[in-house]
Amino acid sequence: MQEDLFKRLVSHCKEYGFIYPSSELYDGLGGIYDYGPMGAELKNNIKEYWWKAIVQMHENIVGLDSAIFMHPKIWKASGHVDAFNDPLIDNKDSKKRYRADQLIEGEIDKLEAKINKEVEKARGRFENFDEAMFRSTNARVVEWANRADEIAKRLANAMRANDMADLKALIEELQIADPESGSRNWTEVRQFNLMFSTQLSNVAGEEGKLYLRPETAQGIFVNFLNVQKTTRQKVPFGIAQIGKAFRNEIVARQFIFRMREFEQMEMQFFVRPGTEMEWYEYWKAKRMAWHKAVSPAEKLRFKDHDNLAHYANAAVDVQFDFPFGFKELEGVHSRTDFDLGSHQALSGRKIQYFDPELNESYIPYVVETSVGVDRMFLAVLSNALVDETVPDAQGEDSTRTVLRIAPALAPVKCAVLPIVRNKEELVEKARNVFDRLKLNFPCQYDEKDAIGRRYRRQDAVGTPFCITIDFETMDNDTVTIRERDSMQQERVPVSKVVEIVREKTDMVRLLEGLG
Ligand code: ATP
C-alpha cells in the first residue's frame, strides 16, 4: 500500500512537472534529479518558508551565501577528508554495491516489522489490549526485541571504532544475502569517502585538488569572524544559508530522499560554552514547530542518535513518516567548538569572540539545525497526495487526485478559467482578471477542455483556488471561487478576489504560529 503510494508519487511528480530524472535522454544519472516548472515553484516556497522563519523572524540570525568551492584544507580541518566515509561492500556474484551498515540495519528493520505484526495480531485478539505489557512479556516479542537491540549496539560500536572486519563478521553471522540476487558471496568491507573532487586548472597534483562541498556548514564556520565583525552581532547569534551540497552516496535509491546532488538549509547558532544544551533544547522545539505547521504531528518524531559524529556532544534527528517509513528529515546537532577550534588550529588564525559581558574571549560553541530541501519537498508531497472519490459526481468526474499542500507552499495560488472559450467578451474579461492576479501571485490561465477537467488539472498540482468567469460575471462583475479541498464554490465580487486569495495563501499564515 505504502509502496504503491511511493510509486504513484514518483510518477505524479513526472507527469505534472514536479521532478524529472536527470539526463533522461541518455537513460538518466543515478541519484540526480531535475525540478520541473511546478517543482521549481514548490522548492522556492519551501526555501522561502525556512528563510523567513529563521532569518527574517530572528533579529540575531543573519544570512550568508558562500561559494561551493573552498580551500581544500577546510575539509581536512572539518574531518571530512579523513572521516567522511561510509562502509562499502560488494557482492561478488551480482556485482552490486551496498552500504554494509544499511544491510545490517535492514535486519533490525525486519525484526521490528515482525514485532509490529505480532503486536497488531494480538491487538485484534484481545479486548482492552495493553500494548506495553504485551511487548514486555510476550516471549517471542521479547526475544526479537533483544536481538534487534544487540545488533544495533554491535553496529554502533563497530561504526564508532571504524571496525570494518566486525561489520563483515556481523553480515556473515546474520547470514545477510544480497537483496537482489540472494547471494552471500561478499567482499571485505572497506571505507569509501563520499566527497566528489575536481582539479584546479593552474595548480598540478594533490595541491590543486578541490572538493565539491558535502555540507554548507563549513562555509558558515570559515566566515564566522567576517560576519560577526560586519554585523556586530553578539553571542548568542546565528548564521544561516541555503545551498547545494554533493555526496557520492554509495546507494542512491528512494528518489529524492538520497541524492548525490542536493540542497541544504543550515543554520549554525553560536553560543557561550556551557549554555549549548539549553540552546539545543530550544532549537529542537523550534524546528519541530516549523515542521508541524505544514505536516501532521503523527508523521513527525524525534530520534536520538545512537552513534554520535566525531564533532557532536548531542544529536537528534527529526524523522518524518515517508512512504518507506520513519526516516531522517532534519538533524539538530550540538557541535561543541569542534569546527571553529579545528579551523583555528589548522589556519593558525585566532577565531575567538570577545564577550563584553564576561570580559573574556572564547571559541563559541555551536548548535546546528540542518534540513534537506529535497527531503522536505518529499515530505510535503508524500503527505499531500490523495486519490479520492467525489460525492455526487459521475463518470470521469467521480474520482480526483488532489495535492493538499499548505496553500502558502502551493506552486500556483490560483487559476483563472473562463467557463467557455468561444465568447469573446468572456475571454477578455477572464484575461483582465488574470492580468490583475498575476501581479500578486503565481497563477495560471486555462481555457482548454471542459471546466471539470480544468479543475482536476489544478487539483493535481495543488492549486488552492480556481476562479471561474461565467455569464453572470458579465452582468454583475462577480466570479465563482472554488476552494481545492472542500470543492465549495462561492460567488464573490471581482474586486475582492486578490484579497481572498492573499488572505489564505500568504506565508504569514504559517509564520504567525511560530512566534
Ligand atoms: P543520512 O544519515 O540520511 O545519510 P546524514 O545524517 O548524513 O543523513 P546530515 O549530514 O545531518 O545527514 O545532513 C543534514 C540533512 O541534509 C539531512 O537531514 C537531510 O535532510 C539532508 N541530506 C543529507 N544527505 C542527503 C542526500 N544524500 N540527499 C538528500 N538530502 C540529504
Side-chain angles (χ1 to χ4, degrees), residues 247 249 257-259 262 264 328-329 333 370 372 375:
R247 296 183 186 179
E249 299 281 358
F257 180 81
R258 190 169 300 286
M259 305 160 91
F262 58 100
Q264 290 184 313
E328 172 176 349
L329 169 59
H333 310 128
S370 174
R375 281 195 196 174

Side-chain angles (χ1 to χ4, degrees), residues 186-448:
W186 296 109
T187 62
E188 295 307 305
V189 179
R190 62 190 170 87
Q191 291 285 28
F192 178 80
N193 191 287
L194 299 185
M195 282 196 293
F196 282 102
S197 64
T198 185
Q199 189 71 28
L200 267 180
S201 63
N202 57 347
V203 187
E206 270 298 298
E207 289 279 285
K209 186 170 177 182
L210 285 191
Y211 296 102
L212 275 80
R213 67 180 176 201
E215 62 176 27
T216 62
Q218 296 304 321
I220 294 179
F221 294 126
V222 297
N223 275 297
F224 169 76
L225 288 179
N226 282 338
V227 174
Q228 196 273 320
K229 283 185 183 143
T230 47
T231 59
R232 288 176 294 116
Q233 286 284 349
K234 289 195 171 66
V235 165
F237 78 95
I239 305 176
Q241 85 165 322
I242 300 177
K244 286 266 174 145
F246 305 83
R247 296 183 186 179
N248 201 354
E249 299 281 358
I250 297 169
V251 186
R253 292 199 194 113
Q254 293 170 318
F255 197 35
I256 56 168
F257 180 81
R258 190 169 300 286
M259 305 160 91
R260 297 198 165 100
E261 172 180 341
F262 58 100
E263 217 166 344
Q264 290 184 313
M265 305 186 279
E266 295 199 299
M267 194 275 295
Q268 311 295 324
F269 200 70
F270 299 93
V271 305
R272 233 179 236 175
T275 64
E276 71 273 13
M277 290 320 284
E278 284 160 47
W279 286 110
Y280 173 71
E281 293 303 331
Y282 174 89
W283 281 110
K284 262 176 77 174
K286 274 257 169 182
R287 295 305 303 146
M288 189 52 109
W290 185 86
H291 287 290
K292 284 189 178 164
V294 291
S295 301
E298 67 273 14
K299 294 219 161 190
L300 291 157
R301 70 179 188 196
F302 285 121
K303 171 90 171 55
D304 284 318
H305 282 206
D306 296 327
N307 191 12
L308 284 182
H310 58 279
Y311 52 73
N313 67 356
V316 69
D317 291 340
V318 175
Q319 291 189 331
F320 184 83
D321 192 5
F322 289 100
F324 38 84
F326 272 99
K327 297 274 177 220
E328 172 176 349
L329 169 59
E330 168 153 10
V332 180
H333 310 128
S334 172
R335 289 180 81 124
T336 66
D337 59 355
F338 172 82
D339 300 272
L340 293 182
S342 302
H343 289 306
Q344 174 170 283
L346 195 65
S347 68
R349 309 262 173 89
K350 207 164 147 194
I351 307 181
Q352 301 227 328
Y353 169 77
F354 177 74
D355 191 323
E357 279 172 41
L358 297 181
N359 202 23
E360 67 181 55
S361 293
Y362 52 76
I363 301 179
Y365 270 43
V366 170
V367 175
E368 159 186 85
T369 71
S370 174
V371 55
V373 178
D374 314 87
R375 281 195 196 174
M376 187 61 196
F377 190 109
L378 187 58
V380 168
L381 275 197
S382 63
N383 181 50
L385 184 66
V386 181
D387 290 312
E388 62 181 24
T389 47
V390 179
D392 306 326
Q394 270 149 26
E396 90 173 9
D397 287 345
S398 63
T399 57
R400 68 168 186 158
T401 298
V402 54
L403 275 185
R404 295 182 189 270
I405 303 182
L409 299 183
V412 175
K413 302 301 182 210
C414 60
V416 176
L417 320 170
I419 193 97
V420 291
R421 63 167 159 169
N422 52 7
K423 278 271 172 296
E424 207 178 300
E425 49 167 6
L426 227 137
V427 167
E428 195 185 316
K429 179 71 184 172
R431 278 272 168 208
N432 219 298
V433 172
F434 174 71
D435 284 343
R436 198 178 318 165
L437 283 168
K438 78 179 183 192
L439 298 174
N440 296 274
F441 322 100
C443 1
Q444 286 193 342
Y445 174 84
D446 189 5
E447 57 179 30
K448 197 164 170 286

Side-chain angles (χ1 to χ4, degrees), residues 77-95:
S78 67
H80 283 83
V81 171
D82 297 319
F84 194 53
N85 301 320
D86 275 340
L88 171 156
I89 191 166
D90 289 306
N91 188 279
K92 290 187 203 163
D93 296 329
S94 70
K95 309 277 181 257

